[in-house]
Structure formats: C-alpha cells, structure tokens
Amino acid sequence: MPSHPNKRAKNGAVATTSAEQPAAGPSKQPITPRLFAPFRALGYVSDHVPYAMFVHTPNGALATPTVNLTTSVGRSWLMWDAARMTLVFAGPDAGAQINSLTMTGTDIYASAGPRVVKYHRGKDIGSYVSPDGSALGKMLIFGDELLVLKEDGTGMVIFDLPTRQLKNQITFHTSFTATSLMHPATYLNKVLIGSQQGELQLWNVRSCSLIHTFPHPTPATPSPITTIIQSPAVDVVGVGYLNGAVRVFDIRQGDLVMQMKIEDGAVNALSFRMDGPPILATASSTGSLAIWDLSKGGRILHTLRGAHDQGITGLQWVAGQPLLISSSADNSVKQWLCDSPTALPRLLKLRGGHHAPPTCIRYYGEDGKQILTAGRDRSLRYTSVVRDSRSFELSQGSLVKKAIGLGVTVDHLKYPPITAISSSSIRSKDWEDVVTAHAEDAVARTWRVQEKRLGPWTFEVEDGYAQTVCVTACGNFALAGSSTGEIRMWNLQSGKERKSFSMTGPAPGASKPAIIAQSKTAKAKAVQVKATKAQKSIQAVTGLVTDALNTLVVASTLEGKLYFFDFHTTNLLHVIQLQSSVTAMTLNRDSGLISLTCDDLIVRLLDIETRRVVRELRGFKGRILDTVFSPDSRWLIATSLDSTVRTYDIPTGRLVDAFRTESIATSVTFSPTGDFLATAHVDSVGIYLWANKAQFSDIALRHISEEEDLPEIGLPSVQGLDEDTAIEGIEPIGAPEFTDIYTTPDQLTDGLLTLSLLPRSRWQTLLNLETIKQRNKPKEAPKAPEKAPFFLPTISGLETRFDLTEASKESEDGVKSQRLDMGAGWLESEFTKRLGWEDEDGDYNSFFEYMKALSPSALDLEIRSLVSLDHLALFLKALTGRLRSHKDFEAVQAIMSVFLTVHGDVLIANAELKESLQKLKEEQSKESARLRELVGYALGTLGFLRGT
C-alpha cells in the first residue's frame, strides 16, 4: 500500500540510491479524536531532488543499472523506483520539516530541526544532535564523517558517522553566511562552501582551518551563491547565483573558465552531464530548464520554459545515461530524455500531484478505494487510496506540448478551477460519469474516469455561470444550475438537452430536438423567447440533487428557498422558505435526508418525503465550509472556518465528536464503506485520511458540550505501507479512550411506572400454579425397585450390598433434634425474617428482590405459609409500599392476586387488617389510573406518528 505526504518540504533535497529496499511498516500516530484517528496522508510532494545520484550496476553483461530516487516530503521522505516511477516505500515522521537529504547505498540521512536522523531500510536507527540546539540544513557525507551546515549559515558541525559523536565545529566569520557545500573531487579532507555574500571558501575539515577564499567576480554587486556542483573535470566546479549567473571556476588556478546567465529568475540547481558530451543543465526559480554546450564557450542549446509550473529546486543527470531528472515545488518529479547530445530534451516520465491545495474532494464509486480531487491548480485528479501507482490526472488535452511551444505554464491553458463535482459510476463503462462546474464559467464539463480524459460533451447555461451540478443515481442524466436560477438537464450518452426546470411560471417540459425547433415560424420563436425570459428567476442555484428513483429534483437558492420539482413532468411541486440563505446542499439518497448549509451557521436536515426540517445542528463558530453524511446516514460530519471538524449524531441531534486541526479543512468526504474520512486543507496539497475507529473497535460516544475545550489534533503524516499489505485495524496509542458505561437506573423518573423486567411466564405460572399442578399430577404413584428401597444407599461392587454408615450416624445424632430444627425453621422462615427487617415506610426493595429470585412454586408456598396476623399485616404494608414507589408493577399485581385468593377469608374476618386493606386499595387505584394514562398517551403519540 502506498504512502503519501501531507506538506511540502522547506529546503529539502532529493537523494538517490541503487539499493532496492522493501516498504516500511506503518509508523505510530498520536491518538487524538474520540471517533476519528489520523491514519495517513495522500498526495505527492517532491520539492527537491538529490545533490548526488547513486547508480547500482549488477553483475552480468546484460544487467541494467537500478536507480532509486528519494524525495523529501515535509516531515518524511519517499523512495521511488526511477525505472517505473513507482513508490518503493516511505520513511516515518522525522519530527520536524526536512531541510536536506543525503544517503549512502543503504542508509538515508535527513536533517530536520536540530537533528540529523539516520534511517536504515526505512526505520529510524539513530540521530545526530546539534550541540547548541540550532536548526541544521545542508549536509554532506565525507568519508566516515558527516558535515552539516547550520540553517542560519553561521557554522558547520562535524559528526563521526559510525559512532554519531560530535567531532568538531567550525564557526564562520560574521561576514560569511554559508548557503551550500560541496567536496571537490581528489581534494583530501577539503570542502568548498558558498555564501550569501557571493564568496567561496575552501576549508580543511580535519584541521578545521580556512585554506583559501575566492571572492565574488564582481565585488561591487555581489550575488548570493545558491548551488555548487562538481564538473567531470578535476579542479573545475559550477556555481549558480541568485541573480541568474552561472560561472565555471577552476579552483586550483583561481580562474573563471566561462560565464553564462539565465534571464528568468535565480539559478536553483546545476548538473553536468556525465556520459561524455560537455553539457550543463540549469534550473531556474520560474520553472525553466536551460541546456548549455560547454564545448562552444557556453552557448545555449535549448530552453524549456514552463518545464515545471513552479520553481525547480533540484536537477540531476543520471550517470552514464542521457537522462535528466528534475523536481519542483509544483509537486512533481520529471524525467527528460535526450535522444542525441544536442537534441531537445523530451519528457519521458513524470510523477506528480496537485501543486495547489485541493478545494473539492469526493469519493468515487462504491468500493471506497478512489477519490476525485480538484484544486486551485485547475486540474481534476483521481487518487487511489489503495495503491499509489493507480493515481492519475484526468487529461485536458495535449497541454504540455502547447505550453512548451507557447512558453507559458500548463496552468494557463487549463480550464478554470473546479467548484463542484458530481459523479455516478453505474454507467462508467458506457459513457461519461463525472460532471464538473467551474469558477465563473457558463459551461459544465463531462469527464470519463475509465479513459482518464475530458469528455466530448459540454453543457452550457444561457445566462450566468454554472454553479452546481448533479449526476442522477442511474448515471444517465446530468443537471446543472446557474447563478440566475436556470436549471437544465442533459443526457450523458448523447450530450443532448432533455429537460429544463422553471422556478416561476409553468413547467417548460421536455426540450424539443433542434430539427423540430427549426421548423417553427419566426413569430412563434419570438413569443417563446419572450415567455422564457419572463419565466427566468434571478435566484442563484446553490444546490441541486435528485432522489434515488428519479422522481424528484430539489434545488436550493441563496434566498433560502427549496424548490421540489417532478423529475418527469418538470412541474413545481412544493416550495419551502427557510430562515437563512442556503449556500450548499447534500443528499443522502439511501435515507432521503438533505443537509442544508445555511448562512446563520446552522446545518438543517430536511426529510425529502415529509419535506420538513427534522434537525437543526448548531455550535459552529465560523462559516460552514462542507458537510458529508456517513454511509449509514447516522452521522453528519461538517467542517467550518474555525478549523474544527465536527461529527453529529443524526438520530439524537447531538454533537458526539469534534477536534481542531492546525489548518482549516476546506472539504470533507466519507468513504462509502465507512472506514475512512478524507479531508483537504487550505495550506496543503495532500489529502488526509482519518480512520473511523468505530469501524474497527467498539466506541462509546457521548454528547460533547459546545463550551467544552476541543483538542487540537496533528494532521496525519506519511506512513510507509507495502502496496500488497492490507489495511489493519487502528491500534490505540497514548491515553485511553473515553468509555461511557451506562447503568440503567432503577427508576427513570418519579412520574413513570417501572416493571420488574422478569419474564411474563413467571407471573402467569404463579397465578395458575394450582392448575399447572393438577395438569402435571402423575396418574399413579411411583413404584419402588423390587430388589431394594430407593432410599437405601448401596456400595459399588459385583454384589449388591447396602451402606449402613449414614443410617448409624443419623441414629447417633438423634431424629428428635432434626425434627425440632425443622419446626423452628417453619415458624420463622427466611421469607418472614426479610419481611420483618424492612422499614414500614420504605419501598421494600431488598424484600422484593428476594421474592423475584424465588421460583413460582417456592413463592406460592411462602405466601401460603403466612398464618399469623402480624405477618399478614406486614405483607399488606409491603405491597402498599411497593406500589407507592412505582416499581415492579406487574409483580405486585400477580403477588396480590395470589395473596388475596389464599388469605381473603382471613382478611375479611379480622377488623384489625381493615385499615391496611383500605390503604392498599387506594394505592392500587391510584397506580392503575396512572398506568392507563401513560399507556393512553403512548398509544396516541404512536398513532399520530403513523398517521392513523
């Protein structure tokens, strides 16, 4: 599985190696939200390329070299196979922005903050720490030493490579600020360092002494040095300057060999061709490549303007091959091939992503493995969540060749930025399946994902701009709404207009074919045009959806109105006026719920069947940017301008999860399979994945108050996963998650009646115990065995012998004492003891819990055993107290029925029990009336909801 970055590197570089290494395992992420955990980031970020390239040549005459590229990607790095431009693996989080990369054949070194982290096979195995805690920048592996410049350019730190110990430090003069370093070939223990003042200094790193200073060729107007590179010739180096000058120096003689200058920006990178021809390639800060012929005094051969959309930050020729590799801050790595020494380099391979932050992201299809993303770079990309090599940009034509020919960037030739995306993969194999609306453009365009290109159909509205689009669930039709209230529908197979919907006036109905429309007279045409203009509304359509069965079309406007149209007849069925303007609308076709994003910072949920607002979700502190439903329609996830992602539980309308991010999430989308939430952020070109922890483990959700302090969560970082490795469950890390253990109280509220929760058969058995005993009475008495009575124990063996030890023991204890104990237990049983222990004014809770634990036959026996008047009076008080507590209502009714049936004659004959009977009757009448009232209220409410 691929890994992707989240941010661009600051001043990093790209290193290359030939060692093929497997993908690294997933790195640990800090656990943060209650519901969503940061998983990983999608996208490509390749801001820099290596200062050196390592090419591994295997043994054998037919073996080909293997080249791997390593690019810095914010706080991590990626390794690519240069032959296929596929992702090999990614490194873990370095803890800070990577400023520089270098490597040996097996190890990768990344300077990030005050550390240089060493990685072996993608794992962090150690670090080199700055002695004074200052940030480290450019670095160079020099034998068994690691040389690192401080980021502020005030000094250089020297580490012992094997032991990671500090060996020495060099502090530069205050008038010398280092920017780059390079080891001249064959120069023992010496490095060449460039500065912002335009000077070059040659230092001996063993003795830490300055050997020589090369002043700037024009001391009156010095320019900072941006890069230094070794040429194929000994003693000769190439130096690039901020003012665009390129100078080739002989450092042994101190002479200037030749000088060139590029006219479009600073020199960001240099590279000498190493396979024979004296060719120098330069890269500029505006994205241009220049090829120079050094055999003719530095004559320029070719200039590729717009080779990258932003400044090129790294450039390298592959040793022994006519292959040039460049990377840029436009989030791309490109390979250029020269068919001949003087030929124009042609683009061979590239890998890239958005070079401007995405503004609209939506999952594509039903398997949850791909996302459609659109950004301010005017591109539409297909990003695979499962495998990095499947991601691509949907083509808008041969724009690269046109841009190079015209000398402009590709962005100038692309369509305007996409503002709305709608898709349906049902008919993706037959015709176009994606429709987009563009900023300030009257045309909605179609795309075909399967063919990775722009579709042939364009859907144009007559007035205003196309603001919102919708593809029907069947995948056959596309609708577009304009800024002037115009709604039209086209067929995706033929590209023909089929219907239009009017917010005012009669329904226009189906559109006529062009051949029929041409047959009308001029007078009829004029009348039709006039009527059409009169019917047009000035309301801007902000949302457009269709239901799952193509029966309804719902449109929202800035005036806060919702229009319900019949899909087939185009008749206006219903209009709803809301309290605030509607800026966006989302429909979950499975549940029929519409999410309405309103200007009053409220998300309103509307039921498409009843056409009523069923929920109002509040608590936002800034403008709501995007909303999305979970696949089961239970949650609504919303992001707002206060940099908070909130999750609402739709059945209860409560906020159950919320967390802040360091940058504002501009768009969100939820996987159709429910496993990931994807977000796009305002200052990042990556797409961030958040794992739905409820999909992998049991999560106890709780209501979150609006005043509660929300945690700020770090964004997902790059995680290295092998492309063939399946996604595993998220392992909890750090502090334990909140677990809300709910215990049902004995009584929800004093105004309700509580049942005993025991099976209904328990009380039915108690009431009909006599009938059950008569029915189960045996027809004849059991017969004893012929050989021996059933009560005599026997001793195991071949012959039958009786065990008389127990009988003798019983005779010794005495039968009389046993009978006396039974009689004493009969006079004061456990039942009567517990009855006497209870408070007469209490609720008799423990006594009734004991009674509910008895079997029906045992409880019947205990009730029949109440023979004294004191016990009968106590039992009457127990029944009255339990009714007064509103608990165990059905248990009291069953026990009371048995009690009155067994002891009714005794209760009537004794006047001292009359008062207790009278209290029991009053309490019984009161509780029965309460029960009838509650049941009647529940039945009435249920009937109202059912519509009966």
Side-chain angles (χ1 to χ4, degrees):
M1 183 178 299
S3 298
H4 306 268
N6 59 344
K7 284 189 176 181
R8 303 181 186 173
K10 186 176 180 182
N11 287 314
V14 172
T16 58
T17 183
S18 58
E20 297 184 359
Q21 303 178 10
S27 60
K28 301 281 186 178
Q29 297 294 330
I31 201 81
T32 44
R34 304 174 181 88
L35 189 57
F36 295 102
F39 181 61
R40 61 192 177 102
L42 302 176
Y44 310 96
V45 181
S46 301
D47 287 6
H48 305 275
V49 292
Y51 291 105
M53 180 168 294
F54 296 86
V55 180
H56 171 62
T57 305
N59 296 328
L62 300 179
T64 57
T66 302
V67 180
N68 285 346
L69 307 175
T70 303
T71 61
S72 60
V73 288
R75 299 163 65 97
S76 185
W77 48 267
L78 302 177
M79 178 173 282
W80 308 84
D81 180 9
R84 297 178 297 171
M85 289 305 293
T86 56
L87 185 66
V88 179
F89 62 88
D93 195 330
Q97 293 293 315
I98 294 179
N99 295 324
S100 179
L101 278 175
T102 189
M103 62 191 311
T104 63
T106 57
D107 299 329
I108 297 176
Y109 299 83
S111 65
R115 298 191 309 153
V116 174
V117 186
K118 180 181 180 181
Y119 301 94
H120 179 72
R121 302 186 66 85
K123 295 182 179 179
D124 183 352
I125 62 172
S127 61
Y128 306 80
V129 183
S130 174
D132 56 357
S134 59
L136 301 178
K138 303 293 181 63
M139 56 185 171
L140 173 68
I141 294 178
F142 190 59
D144 59 351
E145 294 178 343
L146 177 65
L147 312 181
V148 190
L149 291 178
K150 295 183 179 180
E151 191 177 16
D152 56 6
T154 59
M156 182 172 64
V157 185
I158 303 173
F159 296 97
D160 184 68
L161 201 61
T163 63
R164 299 196 294 272
Q165 299 296 323
L166 178 66
K167 292 185 65 175
N168 218 325
Q169 294 188 66
I170 295 177
T171 302
F172 302 125
H173 192 270
T174 55
S175 61
F176 185 89
T177 305
T179 58
S180 58
L181 76 164
M182 185 270 297
H183 165 59
T186 72
Y187 280 60
L188 185 64
N189 299 329
K190 297 176 180 64
V191 293
L192 194 63
I193 301 175
S195 68
Q196 289 186 358
Q197 292 75 22
E199 293 182 349
L200 286 171
Q201 289 186 355
L202 186 65
W203 283 80
N204 188 315
V205 297
R206 183 62 58 88
S207 61
C208 297
S209 59
L210 177 62
I211 298 176
H212 186 71
T213 299
F214 302 91
H216 193 277
T218 56
T221 58
S223 178
I225 295 175
T226 57
T227 181
I228 310 173
I229 195 71
Q230 174 69 50
S231 73
V234 180
D235 302 329
V236 179
V237 297
V239 182
Y241 294 86
L242 189 64
N243 61 0
V246 179
R247 295 182 174 91
V248 180
F249 281 102
D250 185 339
I251 58 175
R252 177 175 291 274
Q253 302 297 329
D255 297 334
L256 178 63
V257 179
M258 63 182 67
Q259 179 175 343
M260 299 84 74
K261 186 172 183 180
I262 60 177
E263 300 297 335
D264 49 353
V267 178
N268 280 4
L270 299 173
S271 182
F272 289 93
R273 186 166 171 176
M274 297 295 183
D275 61 339
I279 300 296
L280 173 65
T282 61
S284 72
S285 58
T286 60
S288 299
L289 285 176
I291 308 298
W292 308 83
D293 187 355
L294 301 181
S295 63
K296 297 183 180 180
R299 189 187 70 174
I300 189 167
L301 291 176
H302 306 287
T303 300
L304 296 178
R305 301 188 185 277
H308 286 271
D309 294 319
Q310 295 182 20
I312 300 174
T313 52
L315 196 66
Q316 187 75 30
W317 286 96
V318 178
Q321 300 182 31
L323 188 64
L324 180 66
I325 299 179
S326 63
S327 75
S328 168
D330 66 354
N331 199 14
S332 66
V333 176
K334 296 183 178 181
Q335 295 185 20
W336 307 87
L337 180 64
C338 295
D339 297 316
S340 67
T342 59
L344 176 71
R346 62 179 177 88
L347 183 62
L348 180 64
K349 297 174 185 177
L350 69 93
R351 204 54 183 271
H354 287 290
H355 60 268
T359 55
C360 184
I361 60 174
R362 293 293 181 266
Y363 264 95
Y364 172 79
E366 299 299 328
D367 56 359
K369 295 182 179 180
Q370 47 274 329
I371 304 175
L372 293 176
T373 62
R376 293 197 293 266
D377 57 357
R378 303 185 177 187
S379 64
L380 178 64
R381 293 192 59 85
Y382 171 102
T383 301
S384 175
V385 178
V386 177
R387 183 163 296 180
D388 171 79
S389 58
R390 297 177 182 173
S391 302
F392 56 85
E393 179 181 349
L394 276 72
S395 173
Q396 300 185 23
S398 302
L399 301 182
V400 176
K401 293 182 179 179
K402 294 180 181 178
I404 294 176
L406 297 175
V408 297
T409 62
V410 177
D411 285 352
H412 286 82
L413 304 179
K414 290 183 178 180
Y415 295 115
I418 295 174
T419 57
I421 302 175
S422 182
S423 65
S424 175
S425 60
I426 300 297
R427 306 301 296 271
S428 60
K429 295 182 179 180
D430 301 323
W431 48 74
E432 285 66 30
D433 53 350
V434 179
V435 179
T436 58
H438 301 256
E440 297 184 355
D441 194 349
V443 176
R445 293 174 174 84
T446 59
W447 307 78
R448 191 166 185 180
V449 173
Q450 191 173 18
E451 296 184 359
K452 307 178 183 179
R453 62 170 176 81
L454 183 71
W457 315 127
T458 56
F459 304 146
E460 185 176 0
V461 296
E462 290 185 359
D463 296 329
Y465 306 128
Q467 290 196 154
T468 180
V469 291
C470 175
V471 178
T472 57
C474 61
N476 294 319
F477 302 99
L479 295 91
S482 73
S483 59
T484 58
E486 183 182 357
I487 302 175
R488 290 187 172 190
M489 184 174 72
W490 292 267
N491 185 283
L492 283 173
Q493 181 181 10
S494 62
K496 302 295 184 181
E497 183 180 351
R498 290 294 178 242
K499 299 178 186 297
S500 60
F501 301 84
S502 176
M503 297 182 183
T504 58
S511 301
K512 300 294 184 180
I515 189 171
I516 299 178
Q518 290 176 0
S519 63
K520 295 183 179 181
T521 61
K523 183 178 180 179
K525 288 182 180 180
V527 173
Q528 183 181 8
V529 171
K530 184 177 180 180
T532 303
K533 289 183 178 180
Q535 294 171 2
K536 286 183 179 179
S537 173
I538 60 173
Q539 298 171 337
V541 181
T542 58
L544 200 59
V545 296
T546 61
D547 63 346
L549 301 178
N550 286 351
T551 59
L552 284 177
V553 175
V554 185
S556 63
T557 64
L558 275 178
E559 292 185 355
K561 290 184 178 181
L562 293 181
Y563 295 85
F564 292 81
F565 298 95
D566 185 277
F567 183 88
H568 302 286
T569 64
T570 70
N571 292 326
L572 181 61
L573 302 178
H574 191 68
V575 180
I576 298 177
Q577 177 66 58
L578 300 178
Q579 297 92 328
S580 176
S581 299
V582 180
T583 58
M585 179 169 59
T586 305
L587 169 67
N588 186 284
R589 289 191 170 109
D590 294 334
S591 63
L593 289 178
I594 296 179
S595 167
L596 303 171
T597 303
C598 301
D599 268 346
D600 56 356
L601 305 184
I602 298 176
V603 176
R604 293 177 171 87
L605 299 183
L606 183 136
D607 186 4
I608 199 173
E609 296 293 335
T610 61
R611 300 173 188 173
R612 293 188 300 178
V613 176
V614 295
R615 292 289 185 274
E616 289 188 352
L617 308 179
R618 304 170 182 267
F620 298 94
K621 303 292 191 301
R623 184 168 64 91
I624 304 169
L625 301 177
D626 198 7
T627 60
V628 64
F629 285 96
S630 63
D632 57 0
S633 305
R634 186 172 182 85
W635 299 334
L636 181 80
I637 297 91
T639 177
S640 57
L641 206 57
D642 58 357
S643 191
T644 304
V645 178
R646 295 176 172 86
T647 302
Y648 291 89
D649 185 65
I650 294 177
T652 61
R654 297 296 185 90
L655 179 67
V656 296
D657 182 52
F659 60 92
R660 297 183 184 275
T661 55
E662 58 186 14
S663 63
I664 299 172
T666 56
S667 184
V668 294
T669 181
F670 211 107
S671 170
T673 56
D675 47 3
F676 293 115
L677 172 72
T679 60
H681 294 259
V682 68
D683 59 352
S684 173
V685 297
I687 307 298
Y688 298 85
L689 286 184
W690 305 80
N692 179 13
K693 297 175 65 178
Q695 187 84 351
F696 305 101
S697 61
D698 295 332
I699 300 296
L701 300 179
R702 67 182 180 93
H703 169 59
I704 299 176
S705 174
E706 297 179 6
E707 290 76 18
E708 184 174 341
D709 292 334
L710 301 179
E712 183 171 341
I713 307 306
L715 295 176
S717 61
V718 178
Q719 292 190 1
L721 296 177
D722 189 272
E723 294 190 357
D724 297 327
T725 303
I727 298 176
E728 298 179 357
I730 301 300
E731 178 184 359
I733 302 167
E737 287 291 321
F738 171 79
T739 303
D740 189 4
I741 302 176
Y742 179 77
T743 303
T744 304
D746 295 335
Q747 183 76 7
L748 297 179
T749 180
D750 295 338
L752 299 178
L753 290 178
T754 304
L755 304 182
S756 63
L757 302 180
L758 291 178
R760 184 180 178 183
S761 59
R762 174 73 67 88
W763 312 122
Q764 289 181 344
T765 302
L766 179 63
L767 294 173
N768 302 288
L769 189 60
E770 290 295 333
T771 304
I772 295 173
K773 289 181 177 180
Q774 291 295 329
R775 185 184 61 192
N776 297 337
K777 185 178 181 181
K779 296 181 180 180
E780 58 181 7
K783 295 182 180 179
E786 297 179 359
K787 294 184 178 180
F790 69 92
F791 54 86
L792 294 179
T794 59
I795 299 175
S796 60
L798 298 178
E799 297 180 0
T800 303
R801 291 184 298 173
F802 299 104
D803 187 5
L804 302 178
T805 57
E806 293 295 334
S808 61
K809 185 177 181 180
E810 291 179 0
S811 62
E812 293 176 359
D813 294 341
V815 180
K816 184 177 181 180
S817 61
Q818 184 178 0
R819 291 179 179 177
L820 289 176
D821 292 341
M822 291 178 62
W826 176 265
L827 295 176
E828 190 70 21
S829 64
E830 182 70 18
F831 186 84
T832 55
K833 287 181 181 179
R834 289 178 177 269
L835 181 61
W837 293 341
E838 294 288 341
D839 183 11
E840 294 184 359
D841 297 330
D843 58 358
Y844 291 84
N845 185 64
S846 60
F847 175 68
F848 268 82
E849 292 297 329
Y850 170 75
M851 277 202 304
K852 290 189 292 184
L854 297 176
S855 63
S857 58
L859 181 58
D860 181 79
L861 178 61
E862 294 290 355
I863 294 175
R864 292 177 184 275
S865 302
L866 298 173
V867 293
S868 67
L869 295 180
D870 293 338
H871 290 165
L872 294 177
L874 287 176
F875 198 76
L876 287 174
K877 292 180 180 179
L879 295 176
T880 304
R882 200 59 177 174
L883 285 174
R884 191 182 300 113
S885 66
H886 313 312
K887 298 178 181 179
D888 297 328
F889 182 80
E890 87 283 22
V892 173
Q893 302 305 310
I895 295 171
M896 186 192 309
S897 177
V898 175
F899 176 74
L900 294 178
T901 302
V902 174
H903 302 288
D905 53 346
V906 179
L907 297 176
I908 295 174
N910 295 276
E912 56 266 37
L913 301 177
K914 181 179 179 181
E915 184 179 357
S916 298
L917 283 172
Q918 187 67 28
K919 292 181 179 179
L920 178 61
K921 179 182 177 182
E922 293 176 358
E923 201 63 39
Q924 170 68 16
S925 300
K926 184 189 302 182
E927 295 305 312
S928 298
R930 185 193 300 271
L931 177 64
R932 288 193 297 270
E933 181 181 357
L934 293 173
V935 172
Y937 175 79
L939 292 176
T941 304
L942 185 60
F944 173 76
L945 294 176
R946 288 179 175 177
T948 59

